[in-house]
Amino acid sequence: MSQDASADAAATEQSFFDAIGGHATFDALVSRFYDGVRQDELLAPMYPDQDWEGAQWRLRTFLEQYWGGPTTYSRTRGHPRLRMRHAPFAVTPSARDRWLAHMRAAVLSLNLAPLHEGLLWDYLERAAHAMVNSPEPGAPTDPRTPPPGRSLL
C-alpha cells in the first residue's frame, strides 16, 4: 500500500464516537439513563440531590472519551479510576442489575445499528460487573472470598 493510500485509509477511519452520532448520541444515552435512575429507589439515594447534573456530566464525558470522543473527562478529572471512584458506594449485585436495566433501556432508545449496539452494550455490561464491590445485605459470606480489592494470592 502506498503512503498516500495509507493516509487516505487513516483519514476515512471513524471513531465509534463519531460513527454513532457523537456528543448528541451520548447526551441522549446518559439523559435517558438518569431519567430512570432518578426514579429508582435503590440507585437514586447513591446520588446527592444537588449533583445530578454533575453525575450526568461525568458519565457522559467518560463514555465520550472512552469511545474516541473529546478527552474532556481526563483533562478535567484525571485518570478514570472507576473502581476507586465507586469504592465509597455499596455496589451490590442488585445495584448492578438495576443500573444495567436503566442503561439497557437507554441504549435501546438510541436505535443504533446492531453492531454498534452490541459493542456498546458489551462494554457497559462488563463495566457494570466490574464495579460490584459489596455482597447483598444479609448475604452469607464465603470465607474463601477475599474482601473487595484483595486477592487470595
Side-chain angles (χ1 to χ4, degrees), residues 1 11-12 20 37 40 42 49 65 72 87 95 97 105 111 113 120 122-123 127-128 137 142:
M1 184 182 286
T12 60
I20 67 167
V37 170
D40 191 289
L42 178 62
D49 283 337
Q65 177 175 305
T72 307
D97 293 348
N111 296 312
L120 179 59
D122 179 63
Y123 168 76
D142 183 340

Side-chain angles (χ1 to χ4, degrees), residues 1-11:
M1 184 182 286
S2 73
Q3 207 171 20
D4 288 338
S6 295
D8 289 343

Side-chain angles (χ1 to χ4, degrees), residues 90-146:
V91 182
T92 63
S94 291
R96 173 205 58 214
D97 293 348
R98 294 273 189 87
W99 191 94
L100 283 168
H102 295 297
M103 188 55 79
R104 186 69 182 151
V107 168
L108 290 173
S109 76
L110 299 174
N111 296 312
L112 298 174
L115 176 61
H116 292 146
E117 181 183 303
L119 288 170
L120 179 59
W121 183 247
D122 179 63
Y123 168 76
L124 293 167
E125 193 170 37
R126 284 182 294 112
H129 283 274
M131 292 301 105
V132 174
N133 61 17
S134 299
E136 295 296 338
T141 57
D142 183 340
R144 298 170 295 167
T145 303

Side-chain angles (χ1 to χ4, degrees), residues 11-64:
T12 60
E13 286 184 25
Q14 190 177 44
S15 69
F16 184 86
F17 172 82
D18 290 324
I20 67 167
H23 173 78
T25 299
F26 283 96
D27 191 49
L29 172 71
V30 172
S31 292
R32 290 174 184 142
F33 168 73
Y34 276 106
D35 286 346
V37 170
R38 278 190 173 105
Q39 306 305 314
D40 191 289
E41 67 275 0
L42 178 62
L43 298 180
M46 293 183 188
Y47 298 86
D49 283 337
Q50 70 278 10
D51 195 35
W52 285 105
E53 286 182 21
Q56 285 187 227
W57 181 89
R58 289 186 296 275
L59 179 57
R60 180 183 47 78
T61 57
F62 169 76
L63 290 173
E64 288 177 341

